[in-house]
Amino acid sequence: MATGKKALVVGASRGIGLGLANQLAAQGWEVTATTRSTAPVATSGIRWLTVDINHATQREALKHSLAEEQLDLIFINAGVFGPDHQDIQQSDDAELAALFMTNAISPVRCAAELLPQLAADRGVLALMTSQLASLNENPSATYPLYSASKAALNMLSRRLSALLSPFQTLLCIHPGWVQTDMGGSNASLTVEQSVGGIIGQIDVWQGKGGHHYVEYSGQQLRW
């Protein structure tokens, strides 16, 4: 049954992003989702757009295609793990710049450019981050390059909260350890479990305003 709610999921070609787009569509949301190449097969009720948010012209095209929309949810899911070695001494400048561009700079730029499409009275703007991004939650600096890029995402997104109405909510969401290409087969959560929790948090925070760093389960994390 249609809910009348509209969502945009940026970075939905596979894993959590695809699972989120599918579950929202199954729950009756009108879903627009993006992929950098070919749309996934075996999806229904989803409008697919091809966008690489690292390119300003493609972000502008996405904004233009949504100019008449008012979205209840904008979810920016794009992200990469970076080099397997996770060692700054082994990484060249271009590799590090690409990691931070994809995980922090481009997602926040995309979010800022899409803010006019966020419903003023109830919209949720969510960015996929990680518990590893927190100095408090990750004191041993596990996966330091990936974690640093997500910490940058958290900080850059903080400025977005000043641009929101009192009833628009900004969420930095940790999805848990999930069985995806990045999380691996030994992860504790299936995509469906993680996504179910994420959608629950979107429902919980809708209309409450503010900027919150939360886990899929509802636990609030320390910055």
Side-chain angles (χ1 to χ4, degrees), residues 3-86:
T3 64
K5 294 182 178 181
K6 295 184 178 182
L8 170 67
V9 182
V10 175
S13 60
R14 59 184 180 176
I16 298 170
L18 179 58
L20 179 63
N22 280 332
Q23 278 204 34
L24 289 171
Q27 292 180 17
W29 287 63
E30 183 179 329
V31 178
T32 300
T34 78
T35 175
R36 288 187 295 176
S37 55
T38 305
V41 297
T43 60
S44 62
I46 299 173
R47 172 194 180 195
W48 287 98
L49 300 174
T50 302
V51 179
D52 184 340
I53 64 169
N54 283 333
H55 296 282
T57 55
Q58 294 189 36
R59 295 197 307 270
E60 182 64 27
L62 174 62
K63 180 180 178 180
H64 179 74
S65 70
L66 298 168
E68 303 303 319
E69 303 281 352
Q70 283 292 286
L71 300 166
D72 300 278
L73 172 65
I74 298 173
F75 200 106
I76 312 293
N77 178 60
V80 294
F81 180 69
D84 288 339
H85 55 71
Q86 289 290 301

Side-chain angles (χ1 to χ4, degrees), residues 6-12 16-21 24 29 31-34 53 62 66 71-78 107 110-111 114 118 123-129 150 153 169-175 194-195 197-202 214 216:
K6 295 184 178 182
L8 170 67
V9 182
V10 175
I16 298 170
L18 179 58
L20 179 63
L24 289 171
W29 287 63
V31 178
T32 300
T34 78
I53 64 169
L62 174 62
L66 298 168
L71 300 166
D72 300 278
L73 172 65
I74 298 173
F75 200 106
I76 312 293
N77 178 60
C110 186
L114 292 171
L118 190 66
V124 175
L125 172 60
L127 297 101
M128 189 70 82
T129 186
K150 289 297 188 177
L153 172 71
T169 305
L170 175 58
L171 298 178
C172 287
I173 295 184
H174 168 55
S194 173
V195 166
I198 289 170
I199 293 174
Q201 290 309 300
I202 291 164
V214 298
Y216 77 98

Side-chain angles (χ1 to χ4, degrees), residues 204-221:
V204 164
W205 290 102
Q206 191 173 47
K208 293 186 177 178
H211 185 194
H212 311 277
Y213 185 18
V214 298
E215 189 182 62
Y216 77 98
S217 65
Q219 177 185 352
Q220 294 199 50
L221 302 173

Side-chain angles (χ1 to χ4, degrees), residues 184-196:
S185 60
N186 292 325
S188 56
L189 295 172
T190 65
V191 168
E192 292 74 19
Q193 289 170 327
S194 173
V195 166

